[in-house]
Amino acid sequence: MIASLRLGGAERQLASLACMLKGSGNEVEVLSYREGDYYLDTLAGSGVPHTFIPGDKGDLRLIRDIAAHLRESRCEVLISFLAGTNIKACLAGRQCPGLRVIVSERNCNTSYLPHDALRFALYRKYADAVVCNSYAQTEFIRKHCPALQERLRTIPNFTDLERFRPAAPGRSDGPLRIVTTARLDPRKNALGLIRAAARCEGVRFDWYGAAAEDRYGAKCRRLIGKLGLEGRFFIHPAEKEVERIYRESDAFCLPSFYEGTPNAMAEALASGLPVLCSCVSDNPRYICGNGFLFDPRKDDSLVSAIRSLKALSSSEAAEYGSRSRRIAEKHFSKDLFFERYTMLLGGIPGGTDSPA
C-alpha cells in the first residue's frame, strides 16, 4: 500500500499521483487531517479511498493516530507533501517499523531558519527520500544538509497540457497584452512591473491574483494612478478559468524576487506564450529562446526585457511561443511526473513500482 498524507495546497499534484499509482496496480489510500474538498471526486472516480484523521486534539495525538492507521493498514510507503506534514510523517513513521517515508518539499527557501534545521534533522533520521519540486530547493537542502545528498530528488510539478494549450491563430489586433497570474504580494514585485510599465508605451498589462483589498494592493493601485496607467495596467481578482486568460494574452511576465519552479510560468509555457521572467531560482532552466530574463531588482533590466519582447516581429513572437510549448511538453507533462515517482519508488530499498 502507498498512503499519501495531506493534500492542502498541493492537492492537485498529490491527488493525481494517487490516481496514477492506483491505475498502475498499486493499493493506494489518501490520508488528510484538515477539512476541505481535496479533489474527492477525482479520487472517487479512480477508486482511491480517502481517510480523514481529525487533528482537533493536538499534534501529538494526531501523530499517534496517523501511526496507528498506518500500522493497521500495513502501509509500506508513506508520501507526504508540505513542510509541516513532512514533520508529522517522519514522527509517525518512526512508530511504524519497515515503513518507507518519502517527504516532498513544495516551497523554495531563501533563508535557513531553526525550523528548517529541525525539519532537515528529522529527514536525516527518518526519511528514505526527499523530493523537491524545484532544483533551487534541492540545492538549498544540499547546501545546508549535505548528509541528505544521496536521498535528494527533484520532481517538478506537472502541468495539464490539455487544459493549458496555445490559442488558435488569428487573435485580433490591438496593443501587446502581457499577463501576470500571481498573488498580489510584495515578493512577486508588482510595484517593479508597474514602474516598468510606465516606461513601455503601447503595452497593456493585466495582473490576475488580487485578494480582498489589502495594504500592498492599495499601494499598487496608488502607484498606477500616480503614473497615469489606469488605461494600461489592470489588477484583477484571481481567475478560476485562468487558461482562458493565457489564450487571450500575447505574453506572460513573472517579476518575482524569488521562486522555485513557478506553476504559473509552466502554465504560460504550455499555453504557448513568450515569457518574461526574473533571473532567479529555476527560471533560467526554462527560458531559452522563448523569452527574456531580467534582474527583478533593477527597473532598467525589466524595461529592457519588455522592450525586447515588443520589438519581436509577429513570426518571431510565434516562434517564441512554439518553443515555450515544446519546453512545457519536455519538462512538465503528467507522464514524466508519474515516471519520476515510480522510478523513485522502485529505487528505494524495499520499495516497489509493481502492485502491492
Side-chain angles (χ1 to χ4, degrees), residues 16 30 45 53 57 77 115 122-124 128 136 162 170 180-181 206 216 226 263 308 317 352:
S16 295
V30 168
I53 300 179
K57 296 181 180 178
V77 181
H115 63 79
L122 288 172
Y123 293 174
R124 284 199 310 271
D128 294 272
E162 292 299 317
T180 300
T181 53
D206 288 272
Y216 187 75
K226 180 180 178 180
N263 289 331
S308 295
T352 177

Side-chain angles (χ1 to χ4, degrees), residues 151-173:
R151 284 177 273 174
L152 284 171
R153 300 290 186 277
T154 306
I155 304 179
N157 292 346
F158 72 84
T159 297
D160 188 336
L161 298 177
E162 292 299 317
R163 178 186 175 194
F164 297 99
R165 50 184 170 75
R171 237 177 52 82
S172 60
D173 293 334

Side-chain angles (χ1 to χ4, degrees), residues 130-314:
V130 180
V131 176
C132 303
N133 71 344
S134 70
Y135 292 93
Q137 184 68 358
T138 300
E139 290 305 314
F140 180 88
I141 297 176
R142 180 179 289 117
K143 174 182 177 181
H144 293 285
C145 191
L148 287 170
Q149 166 75 29
E150 298 303 318
R151 284 177 273 174
L152 284 171
R153 300 290 186 277
T154 306
I155 304 179
N157 292 346
F158 72 84
T159 297
D160 188 336
L161 298 177
E162 292 299 317
R163 178 186 175 194
F164 297 99
R165 50 184 170 75
R171 237 177 52 82
S172 60
D173 293 334
L176 180 71
R177 182 177 177 184
I178 297 177
V179 66
T180 300
T181 53
R183 295 188 308 277
L184 197 62
D185 178 280
R187 293 170 294 181
K188 300 297 183 179
N189 191 26
L191 291 174
L193 184 57
I194 294 169
R195 290 193 300 269
R199 297 167 57 186
C200 298
E201 295 294 335
V203 182
R204 170 177 170 147
F205 298 83
D206 288 272
W207 188 297
Y208 288 86
E213 187 64 38
D214 61 12
R215 184 176 300 178
Y216 187 75
K219 189 174 182 179
C220 290
R221 290 180 173 88
R222 285 197 300 271
L223 183 59
I224 289 171
K226 180 180 178 180
L227 297 176
L229 292 173
E230 296 92 336
R232 291 202 296 115
F233 201 112
F234 303 91
I235 294 176
H236 313 272
E239 173 61 54
K240 289 185 178 180
E241 296 182 3
V242 68
E243 65 273 20
R244 175 181 60 82
I245 301 302
Y246 292 128
R247 289 197 287 271
E248 293 175 352
S249 302
D250 299 306
F252 172 81
C253 181
L254 191 62
S256 312
F257 290 119
Y258 69 89
E259 289 285 351
T261 297
N263 289 331
M265 179 193 69
E267 292 167 358
L269 293 174
S271 300
L273 292 179
V275 290
L276 305 172
C277 282
S278 47
C279 190
V280 297
S281 305
D282 285 9
N283 290 352
R285 288 178 172 269
Y286 307 110
I287 312 304
C288 181
N290 61 317
F292 302 95
L293 295 166
F294 55 86
D295 184 341
R297 300 188 181 279
K298 296 180 179 179
D299 289 357
D300 286 348
S301 181
L302 178 48
V303 169
S304 177
I306 295 170
R307 289 176 176 172
S308 295
L309 173 70
K310 188 181 177 186
L312 295 177
S313 67
S314 297

Side-chain angles (χ1 to χ4, degrees), residues 108-127:
C108 185
N109 286 85
T110 58
S111 58
Y112 188 56
L113 301 174
H115 63 79
D116 300 312
L118 169 63
R119 190 167 80 254
F120 297 166
L122 288 172
Y123 293 174
R124 284 199 310 271
K125 194 161 187 179
Y126 302 117

